[in-house]
């Protein structure tokens, strides 16, 4: 009966990204994919209605049941040895199908899994994603890790799958049945996770699970533990160091494997070593007397087993968590800001505190890749629907701004006393001198005149604002004033000059350097009203770090932990550390890392003729660089982690800006006919041109999107970059691929 029950339920289905995931049968799965409304939703998303994406139903290829239907690693009751490969690159599904279906025709239902030539992987399902990427579900052979499977799939197809899609709680958006390219009957029968040679019994000492869960430690896949171990110890070992590093891994793992060699042989990665070599490594590791769980292993397990993991991971097609495991290695201050925050909300919280962290480091100057000096200007908008939990960002910012609040309270008291003396003076009595106090925390609704006054008395320091409602800001800056604030915000990004001149004592006049960082929370609707199509080109949208809260539709109430007094003290220590820096800080490695990233994005945009990506990549790189500088200041050195943090934040910023503003900006470009746009498409126009082509060929591919001058600019750019050369008066020849 138990076996039949396991055969009956082969996956779980949730009616939205954050909804409960219920065990589902083949009939449930097939019925949902035939629903007309699902097909209509996917068509609307493809046409640009991105906000519908999180409302699509999801299913979990790697797990058939969760405790209380709660999609999280710790609650996985029936994990499956399957891995969904998610290829983000659009338009390559047919090529991937062709590379995998050796003896099968596409668009078929087969009664056996698809075996890839010269590969131990077997394919159960191939489908096109809602945004024309590709999903390939494979059955993992005994002992194979997700990293190994992804490497093999990349070799078989020539395309890299998303490396973040690994754990058993990952979900995939449901697509209509006509997106299916290949499907095997074996998909409906989840295999048992039985180790060769017998099953591993449950053990109260080691926390090993029983039949069907033998590759888990207290609900956590050993592959996830090993992946975190490699991250904390410098990455996977390369040839020449494999034996030594695998031995150290085995020594650390044995405490959570009951010091049993047969268990270690099940969970240890091979990395190309033979079974004989692996047995020798495991034997050597288990010879030493057991010493309990090491400090390193305890540090790895604590966040994986903590209640913070109860919040579902972001969907593999989202950009809401590009840092992956990096978040566990954040420097002082940033790390403590995420304590008690559900996983899906950690990126918005991080983005909300970075502007105030930069405001504290306002005496620092750095050199960017272009050779120009910069200050750390940052602005962020945290967007999400009503009741999506945006207040979690306020709680973190409240701790960060305590030093500002304490100093401003004294300054405001002096200013109030001055106002009272001024009001109480006699008619012929001289007004008391303005104390010219430094007040750095200003409300987002501050008038331009008062803001100018604060700038004049700031003595080169950066002001900061936190706004809980973006809609309130929009309403209070109506009747033309919003345009004035737009100017101030744009100038603050580069520490530019701004001023006003009134022939009256009642209004403030003067010209100042603008140093002003802010964090604002708001709904998606409020942000659309602030950034309409007619002002999307004014430059502010590319200067803002946008973060999106996870979709909370039909989801359980999130669980928030509490920061200890020690955690808050460490945030205060980080603030003091940032304020201690002044003058020029050289960051040569950060510059090189960001320069490489922005060049990669330039090549992508040029090949796709994607004007939107080309626009947003430039300042996304600046924002990522400044985030990296904050990390470097808090760490005290220019570590590899700082470089990874900077490029990850740049990537996140770019994708969020495109998601939030890309459609409106692309429409402006199309209407202006000044250049081409390919928003939403990821396959390359350059790659799809024949080796020898004419202007007519390019014109045919871009008909309706480009004017003639834009096409000539494209040809000029490709020729300048060395991609093409002219063969005669009409023909061009590809000479290099970027």
């Amino acid at each position: 009966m138990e076996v039949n029950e396991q055969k009956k339920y082969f996956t779980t289905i949730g009616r939205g990204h954050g909804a409960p995931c219920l065990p589902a049968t083949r009939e449930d799965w097939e019925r949902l994919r035939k629903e007309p409304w699902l097909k209509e939703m996917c068509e609307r998303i493809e046409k640009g209605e991105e906000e519908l994406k999180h409302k699509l139903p999801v299913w979990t290829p790697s797990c058939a049941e969760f405790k209380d239907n709660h999609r999280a690693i710790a609650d996985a009751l029936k994990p499956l040895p399957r891995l969904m490969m998610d290829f983000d690159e659009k338009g390559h599904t047919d090529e991937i199908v062709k590379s995998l279906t050796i003896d099968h025709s596409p668009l078929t239902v087969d009664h056996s899994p698809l075996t890839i030539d010269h590969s131990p992987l077997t394919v159960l399902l191939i489908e096109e994603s809602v945004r024309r990427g590709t999903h390939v579900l494979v059955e993992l052979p005994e002992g194979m890790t997700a990293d190994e499977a992804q490497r093999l799939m990349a070799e078989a197809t020539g395309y890299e799958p998303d490396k973040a899609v690994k754990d058993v709680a990952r979900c995939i958006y449901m697509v209509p049945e006509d997106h299916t390219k290949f499907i095997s009957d074996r998909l409906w029968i989840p295999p048992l996770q039985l180790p060769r040679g017998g099953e591993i019994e449950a053990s109260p000492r080691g926390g090993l699970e029983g039949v069907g869960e033998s590759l888990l430690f207290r609900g956590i896949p050993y592959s996830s533990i090993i992946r975190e171990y490699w991250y904390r110890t410098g990455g996977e070992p390369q040839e020449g160091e494999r034996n030594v590093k695998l031995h150290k891994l085995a020594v650390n793992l044995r405490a959570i494997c009951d010091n049993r060699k047969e268990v270690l042989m099940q969970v240890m990665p091979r990395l190309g070593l033979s079974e004989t070599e692996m047995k020798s490594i495991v034997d050597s590791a288990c010879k030493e007397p057991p010493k309990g769980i090491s400090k390193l292993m305890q540090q790895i397990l604590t966040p994986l087993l903590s209640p913070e993991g109860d919040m579902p991971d972001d969907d593999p097609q989202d950009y809401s968590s590009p840092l992956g495991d990096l978040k566990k290695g954040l420097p002082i201050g940033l790390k403590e800001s995420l304590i008690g925050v559900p996983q899906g909300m950690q990126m918005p919280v991080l983005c909300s505190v970075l502007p105030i962290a930069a405001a504290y480091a306002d005496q620092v100057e750095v050199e960017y890749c272009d050779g120009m000096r910069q200050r750390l200007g940052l602005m962020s908008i945290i967007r999400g629907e009503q009741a999506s939990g945006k207040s979690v960002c306020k709680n973190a910012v409240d701790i960060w701004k305590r030093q500002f609040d304490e100093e401003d309270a004294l300054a405001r008291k002096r200013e109030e006393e001055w106002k009272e003396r001024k009001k109480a003076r006699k008619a012929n009595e001289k007004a008391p001198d303005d104390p010219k106090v430094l007040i750095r925390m200003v409300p987002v609704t501050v008038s331009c005149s008062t803001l100018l006054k604060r700038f004049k008395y700031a003595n080169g320091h950066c002001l900061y604002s936190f706004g809980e409602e973006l809609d309130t800001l929009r309403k209070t800056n109506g009747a033309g004033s919003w345009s004035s604030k737009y100017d101030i915000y744009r100038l603050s990004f580069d520490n530019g000059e701004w001023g006003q001149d009134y022939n009256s004592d009642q209004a403030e006049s003067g010209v100042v350097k603008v140093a002003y960082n802010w964090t604002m929370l708001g709904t998606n609707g409020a942000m659309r009203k602030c950034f309409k199509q007619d002002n999307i080109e004014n430059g502010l949208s590319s200067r803002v770090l946008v973060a999106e809260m996870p979709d909370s539709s039909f989801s359980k109430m999130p669980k928030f932990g509490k920061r200890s007094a020690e955690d808050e003290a460490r945030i205060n220590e980080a603030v003091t550390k940032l304020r201690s820096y002044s003058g020029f800080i050289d960051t040569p490695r950060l510059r090189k890392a960001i320069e490489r990233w922005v060049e990669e994005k330039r090549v992508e945009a040029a090949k796709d003729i994607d004007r939107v990506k080309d626009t947003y990549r430039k300042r996304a790189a600046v924002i990522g660089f400044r985030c990296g500088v904050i990390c470097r200041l808090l760490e005290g050195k220019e570590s590899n982690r700082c470089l990874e943090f900077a490029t990850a934040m740049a990537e996140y910023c770019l994708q969020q800006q495109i998601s939030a503003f890309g459609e409106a900006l692309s429409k402006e470009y199309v209407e202006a006919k000044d250049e081409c746009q390919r928003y939403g498409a990821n396959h390359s126009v350059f790659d799809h041109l024949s080796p020898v082509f004419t202007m007519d060929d390019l014109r045919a591919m871009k008909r309706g999107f480009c004017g003639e001058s834009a096409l000539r600019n494209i040809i000029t750019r490709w020729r300048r970059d060395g991609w093409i050369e002219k063969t005669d008066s009409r023909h061009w020849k590809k000479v290099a691929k970027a």
Side-chain angles (χ1 to χ4, degrees), residues 498-512:
W498 168 76
Q500 56 188 22
D501 195 0
Y502 291 106
N503 188 22
S504 169
D505 293 336
Q506 304 303 313
E508 200 73 31
S509 296
V511 178
V512 293

Side-chain angles (χ1 to χ4, degrees), residues 581-593:
Y581 287 100
S582 63
F584 176 69
I585 303 292
D586 196 18
T587 56
R589 297 183 66 207
L590 265 176
R591 286 197 297 272
K592 288 181 180 178

Side-chain angles (χ1 to χ4, degrees), residues 245-259:
K245 289 199 171 185
L246 283 170
H247 180 270
K248 290 181 179 179
L249 171 62
V251 170
N252 277 274
L253 281 178
R254 65 189 179 134
I256 59 173
C257 294
D258 273 354
N259 207 49

Side-chain angles (χ1 to χ4, degrees), residues 686-735:
F686 179 82
D687 288 343
H688 280 70
L689 287 168
S690 59
V692 177
F693 64 93
T694 67
M695 182 68 86
D696 288 336
D697 297 329
L698 181 60
R699 189 179 292 115
M701 294 185 70
K702 301 305 297 176
R703 182 173 289 117
F705 293 104
C706 289
E708 286 299 309
S709 61
L711 292 173
R712 286 193 293 272
N713 287 338
I714 292 164
I715 290 293
T716 301
R717 190 180 303 116
W718 285 351
R719 184 180 185 182
R720 180 192 63 204
D721 291 345
W723 296 2
I724 60 175
E725 64 182 20
K726 201 164 189 176
T727 58
D728 57 40
S729 60
R730 294 187 66 252
H731 293 84
W732 299 87
K733 177 184 177 182
K734 295 183 184 180
V735 294

Side-chain angles (χ1 to χ4, degrees), residues 97 108 127 160 173 192 486 639 654 682 705:
V97 169
T108 183
E127 65 182 15
E160 288 283 344
Y173 287 123
L192 290 170
Y486 259 149
S639 65
L654 174 63
N682 215 10
F705 293 104

Side-chain angles (χ1 to χ4, degrees), residues 13 46 145 176 247 277 311 326 410 426 441 475 504 648:
I13 293 177
E46 195 173 359
T145 66
H247 180 270
E277 290 174 298
M311 190 70 180
L326 271 175
L410 297 174
K426 296 178 181 179
M441 284 288 300
K475 290 175 181 177
S504 169

